[in-house]
Amino acid sequence: MMAKILDGKATANDLLENVANKISKLKANGIVPGLAVILVGDNPASQVYVRNKRKKAEKLGINFVLKELPKDSTQEEVLQLVEQFNHDEKINGILVQSPLPKQIDEEKVIRMIDPKKDVDGLHPQNLGLLFGNIKQYYPVACTPKGVITLLNKYQINVDGKNVVIVGRSKLVGKPLLALLNNLNATVTLAHSHTHNLEEITKKADILIATVGKIGVITDNMVKPGAVVIDVGINRNSDGKLVGDVADNVKEVASYITPVPGGVGPMTVATLMEQVVELTAVQTNNENLLE
Ligand code: NAP
């Protein structure tokens, strides 16, 4: 059996089309969604991520404001900038690109973001709403939300399924745990202290890897017919982008996301979706939320 591809690029393009429609509706009411990105220092990977976000935002006609700060910036300088965007009416979403230089306390910066503008869904208030499964709109981290959109697109139902997530980051693994649990999946969250990982992953109907290590998931760890979502983005010795899941897993899985072209494009498209959703909520255009 050869796994079918979960095409993140095509799904992201469909999502972006939908987002563009909503933006034209907002614009008809004189509203332009605004996204502010704060980039501290000169991390090359962060620069690439920010450039991708800018390209997508500008193509959609989102007001994209990039504020770059030198790597020796103080905590106070970053907090002040966040405050400035909190009060800026033209800005609906604020994103602080991680990682931050070590003199800056990332938690403090995230807490300073107005939860209504927290486009990465990392503010404790939004995490609380997510883990409480509270029935109202709140932003959710874009990669996990994008994974759910991708599963929906292929009509992969998670209700009652065994889902195993490998990796418990605040940005990916933990929000996924909550999202999937809210959708009635039975979720196991594995990490570097997990014993007998292979035994656990083999029980997964849906296996999600978000580790950041090449080949951490191999074919013998996957139940035949499982759906495999590869969140990892790693560079191999040839400089090529590869995921966390070994190549031969596609011979056992029923569906699999490619890297690149899987979760990556979903993340950026979901960021655009969420800027528009936050704008809709802030401007009493809730009818644009689906
Ligand atoms: P992270 O913060 O880098 O943490 C890695 C996680 O993997 C930790 O929870 C760690 O456990 C766990 N881990 C490490 N080695 C392990 C092992 N041998 N077995 C089981 N678990 C292990 O995670 P992240 O931010 O989620 O990033 C993971 C990968 O996803 C990276 O490659 C990143 O570039 C990529 N990523 C991609 C996207 C996208 O849009 N596609 C978005 C975000 C991240 P402990 O907690 O015990 O240390």
Side-chain angles (χ1 to χ4, degrees):
M1 184 170 66
M2 203 59 155
K4 295 197 187 84
I5 295 293
L6 295 169
D7 189 339
K9 202 161 175 212
T11 308
N13 283 338
D14 291 348
L15 178 57
L16 288 169
E17 209 170 289
N18 187 271
V19 171
N21 277 332
K22 290 181 176 171
I23 293 177
S24 14
K25 287 185 185 144
L26 286 167
K27 286 194 171 163
N29 296 337
I31 297 157
V32 180
L35 171 63
V37 174
I38 300 175
L39 177 59
V40 189
D42 45 20
N43 180 313
S46 295
Q47 284 169 337
V48 173
Y49 291 141
V50 170
R51 203 181 315 137
N52 285 339
K53 290 167 189 172
R54 175 198 281 277
K55 263 204 293 206
K56 281 282 175 305
E58 289 180 344
K59 192 161 172 223
L60 286 165
I62 289 174
N63 171 30
F64 183 94
V65 178
L66 172 63
K67 207 70 191 171
E68 288 182 88
L69 292 179
K71 62 172 178 289
D72 59 355
S73 302
T74 65
Q75 170 98 44
E76 202 44 46
E77 282 164 333
V78 180
L79 292 177
Q80 265 177 22
L81 190 54
V82 171
E83 260 301 79
Q84 188 187 315
F85 286 133
N86 280 345
H87 293 110
D88 186 337
E89 274 186 24
K90 291 203 172 84
I91 296 301
N92 307 97
I94 303 171
L95 188 153
V96 181
Q97 185 65 46
S98 134
L100 289 171
K102 56 183 174 318
Q103 75 274 16
I104 294 164
D105 180 345
E106 191 155 333
E107 273 312 310
K108 274 204 181 126
V109 175
I110 289 167
R111 264 165 221 252
M112 182 60 84
I113 299 174
D114 180 342
K116 291 196 295 296
K117 296 190 177 186
D118 171 33
V119 76
D120 257 345
L122 291 175
H123 191 285
Q125 182 176 312
N126 290 319
L127 286 173
L129 291 166
L130 172 64
F131 276 79
N133 196 16
I134 307 301
K135 297 295 173 221
Q136 68 168 74
Y137 180 80
Y138 49 84
V140 177
C142 296
T143 302
K145 184 163 163 164
V147 167
I148 302 296
T149 306
L150 188 59
L151 290 171
N152 279 338
K153 185 76 180 190
Y154 286 84
Q155 293 170 328
I156 296 167
N157 187 12
V158 304
D159 193 316
K161 300 276 173 63
N162 278 334
V163 180
V164 176
I165 305 165
V166 187
R168 56 173 164 182
S169 65
K170 194 179 158 192
L171 194 62
V172 187
K174 285 207 179 85
L176 261 174
L177 163 76
L179 279 171
L180 289 159
N181 173 257
N182 292 347
L183 293 168
N184 299 318
T186 304
V187 192
T188 305
L189 185 58
H191 46 78
S192 74
H193 294 243
T194 299
H195 293 179
N196 304 326
L197 183 62
E198 177 185 333
E199 238 168 70
I200 295 170
T201 57
K202 268 211 124 130
K203 296 211 172 88
D205 302 310
I206 301 172
L207 178 59
I208 306 177
T210 177
V211 177
K213 286 187 181 154
I214 298 174
V216 75
I217 305 295
T218 47
D219 58 349
N220 58 315
M221 298 168 76
V222 180
K223 178 164 87 174
V227 173
V228 178
I229 307 282
D230 191 352
V231 179
I233 301 181
N234 313 292
R235 223 169 257 289
N236 71 9
S237 50
D238 302 332
K240 245 182 70 186
L241 286 186
V242 295
D244 290 346
V245 175
D247 213 34
N248 55 10
V249 170
K250 64 175 185 289
E251 288 157 31
V252 264
S254 60
Y255 285 95
I256 196 163
T257 58
V259 178
V263 177
M266 291 305 299
T267 298
V268 187
T270 305
L271 174 66
M272 302 303 136
E273 175 188 39
Q274 203 148 247
V275 172
V276 169
E277 289 171 348
L278 292 177
T279 307
V281 171
Q282 288 163 36
T283 58
N284 297 317
N285 283 292
E286 279 92 349
N287 58 313
L288 292 181
L289 301 172
E290 281 169 347

